Amino acid sequence: MAAGAPRIFVSHLSGVPVFDPNGDQVGRVRDLVAMLRVGGRPPRLLGLVVEVLSRRRIFLPMTRVTGVESGQVITTGVVNMRRFEQRPTERLVLGELLDRRVTLVATGEEVTVLDVAIQQLPARRDWEVDRIFVRKGKGGALRRRGETLTVEWSGVTGFSLEEHGQGAESLVATFEQMRPADLANVLHHLTPKRRAEVANALDDDRLADVLEELPEDDQIEILGKLKEERAADVLEAMDPDDAADLLSELPEDDKERLLTLMQPEDAADVRRLLSYEENTAGGLMTTEPIVLRPDATVADALARVRQADLSPALAAQVYVCRPPDETPTGKYLGTVHFQRLLRDPPFTLISSVVDTDLPPLRPDASLPDVTSYLAAYNMVAVPVVDESGSLLGAVTVDDVLDHLLPEDWRETDFHAQEVPGGR
């Protein structure tokens, strides 16, 4: 664990208020959602069940939590208001793990779980269940008389998933450490029934990452077997350009229905991408590059580049623009490359190191134009700017490669392998 990373017992989180970055209360924590894993590994904490002011219970992913301290939880401000529905691989920490009878590995003695501690992993936004607070002796009226102790997760049995069995729960846990492309490989070779079971068991972010790596036919098949609200959630979790590519293959009625179910800001980005021709800079770009104002510092830029969920291509440079900071931005001023950020003191203003020599592309630039630009200037991403000078997005080299390779490249590169719990 990270040095100094706080360990938090979940009983202290029950009922605490949840605030957005402006200090407005979103709701209160009612439970925590964790995913059990095979091999005695500590469960991963997926998120919080939050009861909002309307008394609806929603799911708040831990990736949207920026602080857990002083009796409060702080979010990024982006909250999906759809009602929480528990999935097969998920366990409610307060509702299902506490008060359970488990066994101490060291002595074989049965104990009662009184509390569970969570802790954030070093240099990441992931959280895990860290320790278990237990009481010896029988439950019921005598439970208060037993000795209490805190043990590592691996110090007890009675929680973890079994290694065998056909359930998607165990299969998903087995695949957890795979890269999205490798898990997509596995899914591609499962039967349609099994593929749907595993897709249903994956959380939204994980399924979104895997969908982005699957052949088009598999994407459409999996999306079509999800409940429409779940499908909209997964589309929101995908990169906007990948979501637009997938939606463009659906019938018009299905596409419009899913866009209507998506959060308005996410749907707006996807609709904008769908308005461009497929093999143009506008159709290829992502609408979520790193955008900074000219009065930002090198330290600010490096903090943004370090974000774990950024692809290497998007993290290779930041784009300097006048407000607003969201695409379409104010006037595009230029680019600052990652290497330049490493060469200048942290307090240096971005405006003093911006590269204004490289011209941006227009959204109607063709795929050969984009390819030639990346090759000529040895770039991994290129800014896309409209006629008014606003930054619309950026095209990355991986998006270009997807369109240069044969249409079936994902399928021809997928090699069948023995799959645990498969056919």
Side-chain angles (χ1 to χ4, degrees):
M1 296 294 175
R7 179 176 294 118
I8 302 167
F9 281 91
V10 298
S11 61
H12 298 163
L13 290 177
S14 179
V16 304
V18 179
F19 296 95
D20 66 18
N22 297 322
D24 296 324
Q25 185 170 339
V26 175
R28 290 185 177 275
V29 176
R30 294 306 182 202
D31 215 321
L32 298 88
V33 183
M35 185 178 75
L36 298 185
R37 302 192 281 193
V38 296
R41 298 172 55 223
R44 183 163 66 94
L45 190 65
L46 302 178
L48 309 175
V49 179
V50 176
E51 185 177 277
V52 295
L53 302 182
S54 65
R55 303 191 66 81
R56 175 191 295 263
R57 294 196 173 193
I58 65 170
F59 178 68
L60 177 64
M62 292 307 292
T63 53
R64 303 283 175 87
V65 173
T66 58
V68 182
E69 55 191 17
S70 303
Q72 63 184 11
V73 173
I74 309 298
T75 78
T76 60
V78 181
V79 178
N80 190 324
M81 297 301 290
R82 292 198 183 93
R83 191 179 300 277
F84 167 69
E85 292 185 10
Q86 188 176 355
R87 293 179 183 143
T89 54
E90 297 173 349
R91 294 291 180 270
L92 297 177
V93 177
L94 297 176
E96 298 181 52
L97 301 192
L98 301 194
D99 292 319
R100 283 187 61 162
R101 298 286 288 170
V102 295
T103 303
L104 291 176
V105 173
T107 64
E109 183 178 0
E110 278 202 345
V111 294
T112 302
V113 179
L114 301 183
D115 211 343
V116 171
I118 59 173
Q119 194 169 36
Q120 191 170 20
L121 297 178
R124 296 171 60 186
R125 291 188 296 173
D126 288 348
W127 290 70
E128 281 186 346
V129 170
D130 178 44
R131 303 286 173 85
I132 309 294
F133 181 57
V134 300
R135 185 186 300 277
K136 294 183 177 181
K138 297 181 179 180
L142 298 178
R143 62 182 294 178
R144 295 183 179 277
R145 301 179 185 175
E147 175 191 354
T148 59
L149 67 157
T150 302
V151 296
E152 299 279 352
W153 174 267
S154 59
V156 299
T157 61
F159 284 128
S160 299
L161 300 175
E162 298 294 334
E163 296 277 0
H164 60 272
Q166 180 70 5
E169 185 176 81
S170 181
L171 187 61
V172 169
T174 303
F175 292 155
E176 187 192 0
Q177 297 303 308
M178 284 187 172
R179 291 178 177 271
D182 296 329
L183 181 50
N185 186 352
V186 172
L187 281 184
H188 178 70
H189 287 100
L190 292 175
T191 63
K193 175 181 177 295
R194 200 75 178 115
R195 188 157 48 236
E197 290 171 349
V198 174
N200 277 319
L202 294 171
D203 64 69
D204 291 347
D205 289 336
R206 180 69 161 160
L207 180 54
D209 289 341
V210 172
L211 278 179
E212 291 172 1
E213 304 296 336
L214 279 168
E216 181 181 291
D217 289 346
D218 289 344
Q219 290 181 328
I220 295 171
E221 174 200 301
I222 290 173
L223 197 72
K225 291 183 178 179
L226 300 177
K227 292 181 179 179
E228 286 191 339
E229 287 197 347
R230 170 98 201 274
D233 290 344
V234 172
L235 287 166
E236 290 169 7
M238 295 176 69
D239 290 337
D241 52 327
D242 290 308
D245 288 344
L246 175 50
L247 283 171
S248 68
E249 301 301 325
L250 300 181
E252 192 64 33
D253 289 347
D254 294 343
K255 176 174 68 177
E256 189 56 39
R257 191 161 55 250
L258 289 171
L259 283 167
T260 302
L261 288 171
M262 292 172 65
Q263 295 292 310
E265 61 272 19
D266 294 313
D269 284 342
V270 174
R271 288 183 189 278
R272 183 149 50 91
L273 291 169
L274 287 169
S275 69
Y276 299 110
E277 293 292 330
E278 180 180 1
N279 289 320
T280 63
L284 295 169
M285 70 182 178
T286 177
T287 57
E288 298 177 342
I290 303 176
V291 177
L292 290 171
R293 300 184 183 188
D295 59 353
T297 64
V298 166
D300 295 328
L302 289 173
R304 294 286 300 278
V305 165
R306 280 196 294 268
Q307 292 179 3
D309 54 353
L310 281 175
S311 69
L314 280 180
Q317 59 272 306
V318 301
Y319 302 99
V320 184
C321 304
R322 301 288 184 193
D325 302 340
E326 301 292 330
T327 57
T329 67
K331 183 177 176 58
Y332 167 74
L333 302 177
T335 300
V336 182
H337 306 284
F338 175 65
Q339 281 186 318
R340 181 61 191 267
L341 294 174
L342 296 177
R343 291 199 297 264
D344 286 277
F347 54 79
T348 306
L349 289 179
I350 288 293
S351 57
S352 67
V353 296
V354 65
D355 184 348
T356 59
D357 292 337
L358 292 177
L361 290 178
R362 295 288 187 226
D364 59 355
S366 66
L367 178 58
D369 289 338
V370 177
T371 306
S372 297
Y373 184 104
L374 293 171
Y377 298 114
N378 296 317
M379 302 287 286
V380 294
V382 52
V384 181
V385 172
D386 65 14
E387 293 181 357
S388 68
S390 298
L391 180 70
L392 299 176
V395 181
T396 58
V397 66
D398 54 315
D399 292 322
V400 171
L401 286 173
D402 278 346
H403 287 75
L404 290 178
L405 290 167
E407 289 187 6
D408 63 347
W409 74 269
R410 294 186 186 277
E411 298 183 56
T412 55
D413 263 1
F414 280 132
H415 300 293
Q417 54 183 272
E418 184 176 344
V419 179
R423 293 183 176 84

